[in-house]
Amino acid sequence: QVQLAESGGGLVQPGGSLRLSCAASGSIYSINNMAWYRQAPGNQREWVASRTSGGASNYADSVQGRFAISIDNTANTIYLQMNSLKPEDTGLYYCNIQARRSSGGRRYDYWGQGTQVTVSS
């Protein structure tokens, strides 16, 4: 079993910064792909950023240049550094990973429960 636990959300003023963390625990052999999504009230969940195990990162246009996704492989923890936050960044942020539980095994998709980010003055 694999669990993801997000943390780091909160209330921040426009222009501020937050760093979200997503700690993966359980039977993980390797994390192959990772991503962050968000969902604002009344909206569908949207993709924010992703990173491959090879280090290639991609970002939604709305966060390009302000957000950065990274991973600490030794701790199986994924981060989302969010700078220059805007009110429209408000939402419930979810981390997502694709991971193998054994060498050569299939990849499984896992989701966290979400952490709330509110950008408001």
Side-chain angles (χ1 to χ4, degrees):
Q1 191 74 335
V2 173
Q3 295 85 37
L4 301 182
E6 296 111 332
S7 61
L11 173 64
V12 63
Q13 292 187 340
S17 298
L18 284 174
R19 189 176 80 155
L20 306 184
S21 300
C22 173
S25 61
S27 302
I28 297 173
Y29 175 78
S30 64
I31 296 175
N32 302 102
N33 296 294
M34 62 216 75
W36 287 92
Y37 290 76
R38 68 187 179 190
Q39 187 169 18
N43 290 356
Q44 291 186 335
R45 189 175 299 187
E46 65 174 355
W47 168 75
V48 174
S50 57
R51 181 185 173 97
T52 67
S53 57
S57 299
N58 288 285
Y59 300 92
D61 289 344
S62 59
V63 307
Q64 181 74 46
R66 299 188 297 121
F67 290 12
I69 185 172
S70 61
I71 183 170
D72 179 345
N73 286 297
T74 60
N76 281 341
T77 300
I78 298 110
Y79 300 99
L80 185 68
Q81 178 67 43
M82 306 186 295
N83 300 324
S84 302
L85 283 161
K86 304 176 181 180
E88 51 263 42
D89 294 319
T90 294
L92 192 59
Y93 281 70
Y94 299 89
C95 69
N96 164 251
I97 67 169
Q98 293 179 347
R100 299 183 194 275
R101 298 196 293 213
S102 63
S103 176
R106 59 163 286 186
R107 285 188 287 188
Y108 291 88
D109 207 37
Y110 300 100
W111 290 87
Q113 294 299 307
T115 184
Q116 178 67 37
V117 172
T118 302
V119 185
S120 175
S121 55

